[in-house]
Amino acid sequence: MTTQPVGIHDLSFATTHYALDHAVLAERLGVDVDKYYLGIGQEKMSVAAADEDIVTIAAAAARPILARHGTDDIRTVLLATESGVDQSKAAGLYLHSLIGLPNTARVVEIKQACYGGTAGLQFAAGLIARDPSQRVLVIATDIAKYELDSPGEPTQGAAAVAMLVSANPAILQLDPQSGLYSADIMDFWRPNYSTAAMVDGKTSVNAYQKAAQEAWTDYRRKGGRELTEFAAFCYHQPFTKMAYKAHRHLLESQGHTADAAEIDAAIKDTTLYNRTVGNSYTASLYLGLMSLLDHAGDLTDRALAFISYGSGSVAEFFSGTVQPGYAEHLRTDANRQAISTRETLDYKRYRELHEAHSPTDGMYHPTLEETSRPYRLSALSGHKRIYESR
Ligand code: COA
């Protein structure tokens, strides 16, 4: 087991041009809006414009990290997604031309539902333990899409979180212990022929809670911290209420009385961005971390717990310590701006965007210019995706 301090050195977030208000969806579907606001804990969701995809938001998330740190020593780029744009080419390779990744870095795409970002983080930590002079850029980027008029529809969303992982990190040092739990479950999946995910919501909620508990048990077996040591718990959030449910389940499974105020104190600050961005699959857990760091009081030297869950399924419980001086490295204003500058989407356009399909004839198809963000998918031509930066 390594003693080299490894963890998150920098963190940056991007989301789409549009947002849909859950009040609009509730009205259209004839649902009491409190089912969304209170029942699942969602107020809005980010929606991709016609000229946005996981590449454009990934590039927007990663650009500030490269601007601050340069590309020196980045030898690996791991892009995690479950809404990939190609079955063969790693989406991260498009970032070379958009943001100038080094040619001397391996670029790989990782998939395991919403767990992929954590796989990237842990693989990065392993590479850095082997050679602490290297840095790894991990990008979690997803656009969550469920069928229209389905129970999953209000739990859509979109975001990318980019993380620079290094030795002697400025923001979060990872603990060496990690708890794992994997099992073959059909709670959420997306066959190659479908653009929308398929989900058995109730099965997924139960599978998530069981997997989190099992991963915790394994974490403790590996010598991890006590539950009482953590200042906060960052959960994967397919909808923010899920974090509350899973935490209550975890506490009760360990014989703790689950007091509502105690759960709120452990969870609430991690949910504030996800509540308005929606599910961002691989990025969701790390958006939870960013929300916590941007909203909580001083967390210097405090331990944080992370519960990653990817349907299908893999769960991991891991932890880390917030580093002295971390607040100077945060991007709180930029994060809030990414959310506040979204254009409110009307229901008609939302539905058109949802129902649009990529052309498959290989002809030149320019995309409608909609996004105000720095990168856009400008066309599809010859079965190739053509991106541009502004
Ligand atoms: N006011 C307040 N709360 C209300 C309400 C109202 N008017 N109406 C309903 N609710 C509550 C329900 O009591 C329920 O709360 P509970 O879960 O604490 O019991 C909650 O809102 C959801 O209602 P429910 O009827 O269960 O919703 P649903 O059948 O539409 O499905 C999900 C909800 C979350 C299961 C569904 O949106 C889904 O499957 N989402 C995808 C999840 C996913 O992606 N999982 C895989 C990755 S982990």
Side-chain angles (χ1 to χ4, degrees), residues 6-7 53 59-60 96 179 227 333:
V6 178
D53 66 11
H96 271 93
L227 269 182
D333 290 345

Side-chain angles (χ1 to χ4, degrees), residues 265-287:
I267 303 293
K268 189 173 178 189
D269 285 335
T270 74
T271 65
L272 302 174
Y273 290 155
N274 283 287
R275 201 177 158 80
T276 183
V277 166
N279 192 0
S280 55
Y281 293 160
T282 53
S284 154
L285 169 61
Y286 300 96
L287 190 56

Side-chain angles (χ1 to χ4, degrees), residues 79-201:
L79 185 146
T81 187
E82 60 180 290
S83 39
V85 294
D86 193 284
Q87 293 282 9
S88 173
K89 176 170 171 151
L93 286 163
Y94 292 107
L95 270 53
H96 271 93
S97 49
L98 293 179
I99 58 170
L101 290 181
N103 294 113
T104 50
R106 56 175 77 84
V107 180
V108 178
E109 191 165 311
I110 297 176
K111 178 178 71 183
Q112 188 353 74
C114 304
Y115 171 75
T118 300
L121 177 61
Q122 296 294 359
F123 297 169
L127 286 166
I128 293 159
R130 181 174 151 190
D131 177 2
S133 71
Q134 296 189 13
R135 292 172 164 186
V136 180
L137 182 63
V138 177
I139 308 169
T141 178
D142 266 306
I143 295 170
K145 193 171 171 188
Y146 296 83
E147 292 292 349
L148 290 168
D149 307 324
S150 73
E153 185 179 15
T155 62
Q156 299 176 114
V161 172
M163 300 182 261
L164 189 64
V165 185
S166 75
N168 304 311
I171 295 179
L172 184 93
Q173 181 178 320
L174 293 171
D175 291 336
Q177 297 85 3
S178 188
L180 299 167
Y181 181 76
S182 296
D184 179 6
I185 296 174
M186 293 304 287
D187 59 332
F188 169 106
W189 66 102
R190 183 166 68 83
N192 286 344
Y193 52 79
S194 177
T195 55
M198 302 182 179
V199 62
D200 179 343

Side-chain angles (χ1 to χ4, degrees), residues 32 34-35 38-40 114 146 151-152 154-155 187-188 199-202 204-205 208 236 238-239 241 245 279 309 311:
D32 180 355
D34 277 347
K35 174 173 175 181
L38 306 174
I40 61 171
C114 304
Y146 296 83
T155 62
D187 59 332
F188 169 106
V199 62
D200 179 343
K202 307 293 175 198
S204 191
V205 168
Y208 179 132
H236 165 55
F239 48 100
K241 192 74 179 293
K245 278 178 187 286
N279 192 0
Y309 177 74
S311 294

Side-chain angles (χ1 to χ4, degrees), residues 20 28 38 73 128 140 149 173 204 222 230 244 251 270 278 293 297 316 369 371-372 390:
L20 183 73
R28 296 300 300 208
L38 306 174
D73 308 323
I128 293 159
D149 307 324
Q173 181 178 320
S204 191
K222 294 289 176 192
F230 297 114
Y244 289 84
L251 291 182
T270 74
L293 296 173
E316 180 160 350
E369 193 158 347
T371 184
S372 57
R390 301 202 164 110

